[in-house]
């Protein structure tokens, strides 16, 4: 991406992060020290979490300001300066020359590290994913020294994941740019209304493309403006009713424009989901009505009865308007008919969160940075929950370090009157279901999160046993990212999820909805099942490792809405005094 010169304002944080990740991968491949490799990945992760663009940071504060971005060292800062000012990064281009061209396709397979990719290429001459699949099916891969059946299976799984991942985009890759463009369009005098539509409006965890809908009496003016927006890389099609563009991060975006009196019908139709719309059409038919993207009309007389607003469209069918997030034909139509839609949790209900890392372990910010960010978000409390001792790769805390951290938190609690800092940790559930510390340490904390960080391929019985043992531990309040999935990279581990729900409910253990965009774990359907069938309660946490990640709460709340959760189901919405009381009840 850095090969051609580009205007500097085009360079997005995501592009910069991808470039740094790529450098990290290439360094790994040519055998550089893990320290240097990690430095690039850390910088990439940090940049993804920034709330401001790297380019504007540089424009205001120069290379010194870049150096001050957590996780970005002075070396990387200099490289970024070069990239921003010239549009080129010779270091990257030189590195690229050292990597055989043939490896680039293999390197994109999740879980297949650079070293294995090189070995496959060197011994079997394989350069494409198709060839690799064939070789695995013919058991050829196992012949490579150091490779076994298990390796082959894992690589195959990685390829399947890759395929899945590339047909869909993470919500967090699509939402910010769509939001920005909707906001700009909304401010134009010739635009009447504009909203996201499709799976993006429904806030699905991944989306196939970006759909926008606007209404206007001057559609061509809207289209002229839209296709000239700075976010546009190029225009695929431009017409009076529909235009398609590719935005600068490579995603396709469609904008439809309708007349203001059709807006309600159109936004209803293009929000979907398809199964929701089909069900709605049946309901209309039974009432001798016809519904489409132009409006609702009487079949007998042909009279148009509704279409200006969405509420009007649902209203004429005798329904309340279901929030977009639950329009999946999973019972919301019946609930809307019977006027028993739940009042779903809102972002504004969130008073704080329980799972945030600092530089005491593998996070990049100080506790004070996190507290400042929490205040900016309007929170009433924030929890510091770093990794513990035995998670070495994450710089886990020893009991002594924890004591030191608790002293710092106590001081900060003195300093800040408007927010309370809860003490916590994210401890690791080991192979036997034990955690790092016993009651003498755990009892010092307000909150204990426990999560599984390894052993993902153990048998279902084994993993379930580990998890249940942790749930039964009276000091563990929250199970972090309960299924361990990483969207596009790793499937959930095999676990008896119903047994987990049952045990969590019986013991008063909260299940986390991890809001990190590639986790969103528990997922929507599980949330609803856990609440409705087992009476489980939840927390929504960002698992932030950089303070900017704390804004991912948005995706967590959207997923909770998709799981039909209400404010009462989620601990983050309670008052701090209540929260502390509830957490103590388990002990
Ligand atoms: P995606 O893009 O795969 O994440 O999912 P959607 O839901 O955004 O689907 P998309 O982009 O194909 O279409 C946007 C909306 O338009 C969809 O949610 C419902 C509506 N729609 C599309 N095709 C049909 C159809 O054949 N029948 C009906 N009733 N609605 C449709
Ligand atoms: Ca779509
Ligand atoms: Ca579409
Ligand atoms: Zn964590």
């Amino acid at each position: 991406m850095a090969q051609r010169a580009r205007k500097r304002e085009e360079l997005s944080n995501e592009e910069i992060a991808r470039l740094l990740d790529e450098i990290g991968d290439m360094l790994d491949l040519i055998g550089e020290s893990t320290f240097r490799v990690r430095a690039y990945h850390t910088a990439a992760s940090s940049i993804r979490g920034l709330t401001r663009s790297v380019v504007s940071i540089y424009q205001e504060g120069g290379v010194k300001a870049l150096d001050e971005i957590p996780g970005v060292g002075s070396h990387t800062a200099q490289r970024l300066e070069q990239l921003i000012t010239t549009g080129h990064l010779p270091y990257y281009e030189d590195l690229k020359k050292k990597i055989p061209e043939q490896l680039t396709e293999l390197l994109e397979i999740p879980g297949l590290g650079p070293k294995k990719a090189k070995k496959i290429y060197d011994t079997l001459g394989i350069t494409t994913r198709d060839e690799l699949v064939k070789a695995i099916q013919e058991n050829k891969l196992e012949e490579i020294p150091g490779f076994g059946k298990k390796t082959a299976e894992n690589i195959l799984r990685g390829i399947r994941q890759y395929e899945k991942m590339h047909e869909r985009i993470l919500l967090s890759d699509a939402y910010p740019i769509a939001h920005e463009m909707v906001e700009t369009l909304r401010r134009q005098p010739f635009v009447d209304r504009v909203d996201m539509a499709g799976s993006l409006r429904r806030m699905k965890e991944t989306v196939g493309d970006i759909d926008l809908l606007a209404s206007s009496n001057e559609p061509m003016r809207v289209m002229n403006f839209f296709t000239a927006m700075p976010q546009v890389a190029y225009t695929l099609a431009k017409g009076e009713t529909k235009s398609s563009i590719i935005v600068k991060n490579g995603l396709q975006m469609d904008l439809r424009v309708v007349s203001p009196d059709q807006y309600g019908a159109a936004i209803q139709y293009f929000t979907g989901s398809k199964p929701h719309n089909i069900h709605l059409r049946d309901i209309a038919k039974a009432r001798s009505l016809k519904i489409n993207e132009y409006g609702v009309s009487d079949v007998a007389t042909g009279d148009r009865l509704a279409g200006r607003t969405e509420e009007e469209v649902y209203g004429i069918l005798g329904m309340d308007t279901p929030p977009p997030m639950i329009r999946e034909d999973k019972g919301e139509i019946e609930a809307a008919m019977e006027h028993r839609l739940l009042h779903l949790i809102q972002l504004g209900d969130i008073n704080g969160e329980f799972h945030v890392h600092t530089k005491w372990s593998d996070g990049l910010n100080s506790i004070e940075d996190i507290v400042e960010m929490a205040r900016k978000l309007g929170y009433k409390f924030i929890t510091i929950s770093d990794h513990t001792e035995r998670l070495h790769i994450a710089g886990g805390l020893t009991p002594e370090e924890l004591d030191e951290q608790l002293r710092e938190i106590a001081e900060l609690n003195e300093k800040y009157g408007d927010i309370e800092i809860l003490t916590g940790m994210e401890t690791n559930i080991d192979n036997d279901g034990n955690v790092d510390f016993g009651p003498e340490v755990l009892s010092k904390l307000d909150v204990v999160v426990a999560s599984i960080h390894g052993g993902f391929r153990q048998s279902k019985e084994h993993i379930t046993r580990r998890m249940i043992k942790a749930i039964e531990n009276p000091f563990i309040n929250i199970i972090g990212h309960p299924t361990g999935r990483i969207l596009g990279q790793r499937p959930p581990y095999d676990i008896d999820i119903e047994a987990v729900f049952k045990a969590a409910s019986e013991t008063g253990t909260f299940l986390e909805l991890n809001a990190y965009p590639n986790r969103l774990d528990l997922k929507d359907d599980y949330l609803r099942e856990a609440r409705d069938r087992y009476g489980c309660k939840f927390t929504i946490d960002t698992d932030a490792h950089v303070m900017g990640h704390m804004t991912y709460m948005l995706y967590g709340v959207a997923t909770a809405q998709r799981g039909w959760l209400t404010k009462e189901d989620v601990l983050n919405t309670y008052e701090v005094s209540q929260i502390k009381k509830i957490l103590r009840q388990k002990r």
Side-chain angles (χ1 to χ4, degrees), residues 53 56 103 112 170 185 419 529 579:
S53 95
S56 66
L103 282 182
L112 179 66
L170 281 184
L185 284 164
I419 187 165
E529 185 189 343
I579 290 173

Side-chain angles (χ1 to χ4, degrees), residues 355-357 362 385-387 426 449 451 453 481 512 514 519 543-545:
H355 187 170
V356 174
H357 298 273
D362 61 348
S385 57
D386 275 305
H387 294 286
E426 181 190 21
V449 181
S451 339
H453 292 103
H481 38 77
E512 179 182 80
N514 191 295
R519 287 191 183 269
D543 203 352
H545 284 71

